[in-house]
Every structure is written in C-alpha cells, then in structure tokens.
Amino acid sequence: MYKERLITGSLGLFLLFVGSSCSRDVRLAGHDIPENVQVKTVTHFGQVLDESATPKQVAFVLLRALKEDFLAATPKDRAAALHIEFDVCAPDAIVSRLPGILTRDELLYRVVHLWSPTIGQYVGDIGSSLEPMETRLIQRGLRQMAGADDGVMECKILINLDDPNGDPNAAVVLVLSMVQENKHWRVDRLEFAPTVRSLDKLTASKTTTK
C-alpha cells in the first residue's frame, strides 16, 4: 500500500526516469532546486536549531514543514516549506548513498521533495507547536555513527501517526533517522515501520524479545 512504502524506496522510481549522463536532468526544468545545501544553524517555528538543539526539536521542525508543504495553497507557500525541509535535512548523508547519475543538488532535491507527499495522508495528526508534540516523539538507538569521526552520533525518532478516518488498522509508526552533520542534528531519511502500527505494540515487542 502507498502509505506503507518506505520513503527511501522512491529512489528506485525516479531512477527509472533519469539518463546515464551527468548532465542536468531536463525533467527538473522549472523546479526551484536549492544549490549547495549545507548544514548550519537555522531558526524555524520558534526552534533555534544550533549545535545544542535536540533530535526531537529537529524532527518537529521537519514534520511541521512537511505538513505546511502538503497543505500549501500556493507554489510560494510550498517553496517556503521546502526551504525549511532542506534546512533540516542531512545533505551529505543523503547524497552519499545515492548513485552519482545526477548532480549533488539534483539528487538531494529528488529525495527531499518527495517526503511531504509520501506522508501526506497523515499530516492532520502533526501538531503546530513543539510542546504537545514532544511527548509523542520517542528517541531510540542513540549511538556512535558507523564510519564517522569519534563523537558523531546517530539515533532514530519515532512517532505514531493516526489515520484521518480513524481506522486503527491504518495508523502508522513513522521513523526519522537522525544523524549529526557539522555538529548539528539533521534528518537523513524517513520510513514507516514495516510491521507495527503503534508505538505501544513496538515497545511490547521489544520487551518480550529481551
């Protein structure tokens, strides 16, 4: 089902539409592709995302930006939301695992601009302020990032997202993979947990397998 597919799975779809050269993809003509995205301190939705910002703060900013992106009434509104999404993504981590068919900017755009439509069904369950959302954001797996310099960490942020029609069987657990780039927490990728639809069940599963 659409709502269950991995965000990163969309890579396979777009690779079907690109050529084998390193020249600019003509299918991206007219798209506002950010150039040379770098991780730096930014402020969005009242959150200062500097080196001291937590993974939960960054995750909240991305989720709210995705909501505003999906619900945008005008291209200008969507462009503003996309700008925030690029500000909180982990560009080096994202691009490092993709084939070098396109330019760095195009590769990053191809991934990030698909995040919002992929979770679009659930944006109604994303709050507008950090305080009520923070208790719903569950951090897991804080550890040293494999292959990275000492002190560079990674973790996951999990959140339950309910089906807008109230169907408990259509709820999902969204997993945000977080990494540190330039000493700032940023979002590497999004995916839906493949076998559970609630964090309660996920916690219970982990408890019984210990």
Side-chain angles (χ1 to χ4, degrees), residues 94-139:
I94 292 171
V95 172
S96 68
R97 64 174 181 272
L98 301 180
I101 295 174
L102 303 177
T103 68
R104 178 184 187 274
D105 296 338
E106 290 169 335
L107 285 169
L108 191 63
Y109 180 83
R110 283 286 194 171
V111 173
V112 175
H113 94 287
L114 291 175
W115 284 353
S116 174
T118 305
I119 71 162
Q121 177 171 343
Y122 301 98
V123 297
D125 198 28
I126 296 173
S128 297
S129 59
L130 176 63
E131 288 70 24
M133 285 285 289
E134 192 166 18
T135 58
R136 297 174 56 196
L137 296 168
I138 307 302
Q139 181 175 315

Side-chain angles (χ1 to χ4, degrees), residues 115-192:
W115 284 353
S116 174
T118 305
I119 71 162
Q121 177 171 343
Y122 301 98
V123 297
D125 198 28
I126 296 173
S128 297
S129 59
L130 176 63
E131 288 70 24
M133 285 285 289
E134 192 166 18
T135 58
R136 297 174 56 196
L137 296 168
I138 307 302
Q139 181 175 315
R140 293 274 178 82
L142 181 64
R143 63 184 182 184
Q144 167 81 27
M145 187 174 175
D149 295 337
D150 288 344
V152 177
M153 308 298 288
E154 64 180 356
C155 71
K156 295 186 184 299
I157 298 292
L158 289 70
I159 183 172
N160 258 126
L161 294 175
D162 290 334
D163 176 67
N165 297 317
D167 181 358
N169 293 319
V172 294
V173 174
L174 181 66
V175 182
L176 293 81
S177 296
M178 315 290 297
V179 299
Q180 287 182 316
E181 286 192 10
N182 194 27
K183 300 182 180 179
H184 295 65
W185 282 105
R186 291 296 183 261
V187 183
D188 177 15
R189 53 187 166 185
L190 312 180
E191 59 188 359
F192 294 120

Side-chain angles (χ1 to χ4, degrees), residues 67-81:
K67 179 177 182 177
E68 295 196 356
D69 181 347
F70 189 79
L71 299 178
T74 67
K76 182 179 179 180
D77 291 339
R78 185 174 191 218

